Amino acid sequence: MTSAFNPPVDLPGNQDIRIIGPRSSGKTAFMAALAYWPNADPNSPIQSVDPYDNASGELIGMARDILADGRELASTDAGESADSLPIYTLLITLRPRLLNHPIPALKNKSIRIQVSCREYPGEIIKDLRNISSSNSLLNSYLDDCATASSLLLLIDGTANQSDRDYAQALENLQKQLSDRLSLDTTRLRNYRIAVVFSKCEQAQVRVYWKDINNFVSLKFPNVQTTVNKWRTLWGCSSNYFFCSAFGTKGINPQPNFKIKSRDKNGITGVIDSPRVWRPLGLVAPLYWIQTGQEDPRLKI
């Protein structure tokens, strides 16, 4: 928690984010690991992560009682309408950025951002690929997504064989949101799309840790083309990130991940060693969505 005698500077606004991704990409694990923030590194730029309300506090229970117990989280219920799904709001406090701060007045000051996220069930990817105007459940998600200010697309970084499927779903998502927002050009320009590749602790992804643009071009070229087209059509911003909800372990880092299954859509598994659980890269996309700036400290 932040000291009452040295309160952080609250950045204005509360980004309203929708998290979309296929089944088993780790959407709920992303949010639960972020809220719990286990084994915090005292040298990390992230000072604290705090739930804003009781609903958001439930994420901590999921992480502590399920993930840290070596079990998988249940999937988001595909039968619920968007309005039935919770919105999780977190307060993220960052330690002072001493050098090259994009806002000079905030140099040497802790800052706090507030983000609200609602995640959709993974079935939305399949429904978007085979879109139907009679799909009332999908329409509830699309109507809700049109009220948000940003999109966080979460993709299993080991699932590059599904590149074309994800690109098709994204193209249809863009068209559907355009229909709903076509008269609000200001919102289109201010929209931010963060494409986040999960499970970056895996060797085939980790080798690209310092060169995400090359990773996207090689492994997800169709997603990249679709996102570039979306950005051009709307005049909005997009960016790419790596993350790992479970992180690594050991002096010579190995995935802190016990694989349970593997297919073309990527891998599924659980934490291998909960006592050294430390997530990677979860805050970087949220900070960018909030500020439009990147903080290199958040990518390690």
Side-chain angles (χ1 to χ4, degrees):
M1 297 293 289
T2 304
S3 169
F5 299 103
N6 186 27
V9 176
D10 288 302
L11 295 190
N14 173 31
Q15 286 298 318
D16 193 15
I17 303 167
R18 297 299 178 264
I19 301 178
I20 293 179
R23 288 178 60 86
S24 301
S25 58
K27 299 181 294 297
T28 306
F30 179 102
M31 291 301 301
L34 176 63
Y36 191 39
W37 205 246
N39 301 304
D41 183 349
N43 297 315
S44 168
I46 301 154
Q47 184 170 318
S48 64
V49 180
D50 301 301
Y52 181 77
D53 51 24
N54 290 336
S56 305
E58 291 176 2
L59 288 168
I60 296 175
M62 293 181 195
R64 181 187 60 238
D65 302 333
I66 301 175
L67 292 178
D69 192 42
R71 295 182 290 140
E72 289 184 272
L73 292 170
S75 300
T76 303
D77 189 348
E80 293 191 57
S81 66
D83 289 341
S84 301
L85 300 174
I87 291 181
Y88 299 118
T89 301
L90 299 173
L91 301 171
I92 303 170
T93 304
L94 304 179
R95 291 188 172 91
R97 182 172 170 182
L98 302 179
L99 299 172
N100 302 319
H101 201 291
I103 308 174
L106 296 181
K107 186 178 179 180
N108 302 324
K109 295 179 182 289
S110 294
I111 63 171
R112 184 164 57 194
I113 62 174
Q114 179 175 326
V115 294
S116 294
C117 304
R118 170 178 274 164
E119 59 167 287
Y120 298 152
E123 284 78 5
I124 190 175
I125 296 296
K126 180 179 178 181
D127 290 343
L128 282 168
R129 285 177 51 221
N130 306 292
I131 203 158
S132 168
S133 59
S134 62
N135 189 331
S136 59
L137 198 58
L138 176 60
N139 283 323
S140 83
Y141 298 139
L142 292 170
D143 291 342
D144 176 72
C145 196
T147 68
S149 57
S150 306
L151 172 67
L152 192 156
L153 176 67
L154 193 67
I155 297 175
D156 183 335
T158 69
N160 53 294
Q161 292 184 45
S162 299
D163 176 39
R164 290 185 182 276
D165 293 343
Y166 299 158
Q168 182 62 59
L170 270 183
E171 183 174 351
N172 288 337
L173 176 61
Q174 183 275 132
K175 291 176 181 177
Q176 290 295 316
L177 293 180
S178 290
D179 289 344
R180 289 162 169 80
L181 297 172
S182 60
L183 299 179
D184 196 341
T185 56
T186 299
R187 286 192 61 198
L188 297 184
R189 289 195 303 272
N190 291 334
Y191 201 79
R192 289 181 179 145
I193 306 166
V195 184
V196 183
F197 297 97
S198 63
K199 303 173 187 174
C200 70
E201 78 284 340
Q202 299 299 315
Q204 66 266 44
V205 183
R206 193 169 69 242
V207 294
Y208 293 97
W209 181 260
K210 295 184 179 180
D211 193 2
I212 193 167
N213 291 326
N214 189 33
F215 171 81
V216 178
S217 297
L218 290 173
K219 305 296 184 180
F220 292 90
N222 293 290
V223 167
Q224 184 181 50
T225 297
T226 300
V227 171
N228 287 344
K229 180 180 177 181
W230 188 336
R231 185 181 65 220
T232 299
L233 289 170
W234 286 26
C236 64
S237 301
S238 64
N239 209 344
Y240 298 95
F241 300 88
F242 285 130
C243 81
S244 172
F246 299 164
T248 59
K249 61 179 182 177
I251 297 175
N252 298 313
Q254 296 296 315
N256 192 8
F257 190 93
K258 185 183 299 182
I259 295 176
K260 297 186 70 175
S261 66
R262 186 193 303 269
D263 59 27
K264 70 172 187 177
N265 296 314
I267 61 174
T268 62
V270 296
I271 297 174
D272 187 43
S273 181
R275 66 181 181 82
V276 296
W277 176 18
R278 181 178 289 169
L280 297 169
L282 302 186
V283 173
L286 301 175
Y287 178 81
W288 174 79
I289 286 174
Q290 172 77 6
T291 66
Q293 304 284 339
E294 290 190 68
D295 187 337
R297 304 176 304 163
L298 299 174
K299 292 190 173 184
I300 58 176

